[in-house]
Amino acid sequence: MLHNLTGWHALIVLAILLLVFGSTKLPSLAKGVGQSLRILKDEVREEKKTAKRDDTTAPVFADAASTPVPYRHTS
């Protein structure tokens, strides 16, 4: 769907953004987007670190996957 976009398309979108938001709002908009991406990147990094730490401390049960769970019919 987006494979046909070229540099001209990016320039047109940038011109439309400039017309809609004005030159005074674009720097603050770019700063807000940059801060949001930085926060997202930090959260992903922290989540990976937490997941890695949890994987190394969690006990591994080798026979748990091969042991069938008994079926209980409740009626």
Side-chain angles (χ1 to χ4, degrees), residues 7-26:
W8 286 107
H9 293 106
L11 288 175
I12 292 171
V13 169
L14 185 61
I16 291 171
L17 285 174
L18 186 62
L19 288 173
V20 171
F21 291 109
S23 62
T24 58
K25 294 279 185 177
L26 282 180

Side-chain angles (χ1 to χ4, degrees), residues 15-45:
I16 291 171
L17 285 174
L18 186 62
L19 288 173
V20 171
F21 291 109
S23 62
T24 58
K25 294 279 185 177
L26 282 180
S28 63
L29 181 68
K31 182 180 178 182
V33 170
Q35 287 176 344
S36 298
L37 288 176
R38 189 175 305 122
I39 290 170
L40 177 66
K41 190 171 84 172
D42 291 342
E43 291 294 326
V44 168
R45 185 180 298 134

Side-chain angles (χ1 to χ4, degrees), residues 1 3 8 15 19-20 36 47 50 55 57 59 66 71 75:
M1 181 174 146
H3 300 286
W8 286 107
L19 288 173
V20 171
S36 298
E47 182 64 30
T50 303
D55 287 345
T57 59
S66 63
Y71 177 74
S75 54

